[in-house]
């Protein structure tokens, strides 16, 4: 199975800050990477697919980059609604696997 | 807009069978550009993909090794839904269970773009 490792596991930041979350795959997954946002009590929401393609309706302050084994999710200017847990996932090689999550908390 | 409506019991006794269903609206379970997935989430396991079913001129199902042999994911075209059956459950199967659509994208693989609301399943006597 492909292992997905996120860092950091948690981060504290303020509204307006720029935040970057990293995801590393245990083998080459090209650009087959998705990012999800999850708020307490709700299902994960797909933000980005193909490493950098923003889903319809997702604010442009979110961006993704990377290929191969190293990927990043960047939020350019944090808004109050962005405080949540973020997960990466490889959605192409069976079985699909998720990172352990990065909890973004208010400083 | 695709919507997935989950249903099923919140409490199951150890050694019994867990049964959940996911009714699809806005798409077809027979779509050849989608897969229909079950994922669970618990503090100990995080997000864990369990299995899927999909139609590509025939029906196929795949399962995670961790649950293979205990899990069946099946589609029902007459009601446009799919289901999860997990046998011999233990307290370790306690989790929030989600159904989700995987949308086929040549560049992206099969990201999970629509999710059900989740069902908290507790395995306890």
């Amino acid at each position: 199975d492909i292992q997905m490792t996120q860092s950091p596991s948690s981060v504290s930041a303020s509204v307006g800050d720029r935040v970057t979350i990293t995801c590393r795959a245990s083998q080459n997954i090209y650009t087959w990477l998705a990012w999800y946002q999850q708020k307490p009590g709700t299902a994960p929401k797909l933000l980005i697919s193909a490493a950098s393609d923003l889903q319809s309706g997702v604010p442009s302050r979110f961006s993704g980059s990377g290929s191969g084994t190293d990927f990043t999710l960047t939020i350019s200017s944090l808004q109050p609604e962005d405080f949540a847990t973020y997960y990466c996932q490889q959605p192409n090689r069976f079985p699909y696997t998720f990172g352990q999550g990065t909890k973004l908390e208010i400083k | 807009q695709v919507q997935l409506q989950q249903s099923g019991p919140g409490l199951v006794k150890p050694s019994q069978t867990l049964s959940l269903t996911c009714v699809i609206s806005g798409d077809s379970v027979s779509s050849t550009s989608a897969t229909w997935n079950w994922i669970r989430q618990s503090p100990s396991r995080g997000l864990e993909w369990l299995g899927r079913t999909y139609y590509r001129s025939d029906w196929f199902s795949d399962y995670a090794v961790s649950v293979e042999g205990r899990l069946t994911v099946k589609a029902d075209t007459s009601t446009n839904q799919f289901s999860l059956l997990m046998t011999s459950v233990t307290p370790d199967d306690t989790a929030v269970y989600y159904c989700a659509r995987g949308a086929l994208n040549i560049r992206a693989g099969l990201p999970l773009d629509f999710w059900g609301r989740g069902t908290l399943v507790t395995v306890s006597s």
Side-chain angles (χ1 to χ4, degrees):
Chain A
D1 297 2
I2 298 175
Q3 305 304 314
M4 308 298 293
T5 304
Q6 289 180 235
S7 61
S9 56
S10 65
V11 57
S12 294
S14 301
V15 172
D17 284 354
R18 179 185 180 91
V19 170
T20 297
I21 298 168
T22 297
C23 178
R24 175 164 288 178
S26 61
Q27 57 186 274
N28 186 356
I29 58 171
Y30 303 94
T31 57
W32 293 324
L33 184 99
W35 288 100
Y36 300 85
Q37 176 194 64
Q38 186 177 34
K39 297 180 179 178
T42 69
K45 172 189 174 183
L46 179 64
L47 296 178
I48 288 171
S49 62
S52 60
D53 292 350
L54 223 57
Q55 292 299 107
S56 174
V58 175
S60 59
R61 62 181 179 272
F62 290 90
S63 63
S65 65
S67 65
T69 60
D70 294 311
F71 302 87
T72 59
L73 171 69
T74 299
I75 310 172
S76 60
S77 178
L78 276 172
Q79 298 302 302
E81 61 268 28
D82 300 337
F83 292 95
T85 301
Y86 293 85
Y87 296 91
C88 62
Q89 183 222 7
Q90 64 84 13
N92 192 66
R93 297 255 180 101
F94 177 79
Y96 307 148
T97 42
F98 293 86
Q100 80 279 16
T102 296
K103 187 172 184 179
L104 178 51
E105 298 175 302
I106 302 173
K107 185 182 287 184
Chain B
Q1 179 81 343
V2 176
Q3 291 186 327
L4 302 176
Q5 182 67 45
Q6 298 181 221
S7 62
L11 181 64
V12 183
K13 289 181 167 49
S15 80
Q16 293 192 340
T17 296
L18 166 64
S19 176
L20 298 172
T21 60
C22 185
V23 178
I24 304 162
S25 57
D27 199 354
S28 169
V29 73
S30 303
S31 169
T32 56
S33 59
T35 62
W36 304 97
N37 301 261
W38 289 98
I39 302 99
R40 67 183 176 184
Q41 185 174 32
S42 65
S44 59
R45 294 175 178 269
L47 283 165
E48 180 185 16
W49 177 85
L50 297 175
R52 65 180 180 179
T53 190
Y54 57 99
Y55 183 75
R56 301 288 186 268
S57 71
D58 198 354
W59 287 99
F60 299 90
S61 297
D62 301 304
Y63 304 106
V65 170
S66 61
V67 292
E68 198 161 23
R70 294 198 298 133
L71 182 65
T72 302
V73 178
K74 287 179 62 174
D76 185 337
T77 57
S78 65
T79 54
N80 203 35
Q81 67 183 37
F82 62 109
S83 62
L84 172 151
L85 282 176
M86 183 181 289
T87 62
S88 305
V89 297
T90 72
D92 192 47
D93 294 312
T94 294
V96 177
Y97 286 73
Y98 295 101
C99 59
R101 184 182 83 163
L104 181 59
N105 182 317
I106 295 298
R107 294 183 62 246
L110 286 154
L112 303 169
D113 60 350
F114 290 97
W115 294 62
R117 290 190 172 188
T119 301
L120 174 58
V121 175
T122 302
V123 180
S124 174
S125 54

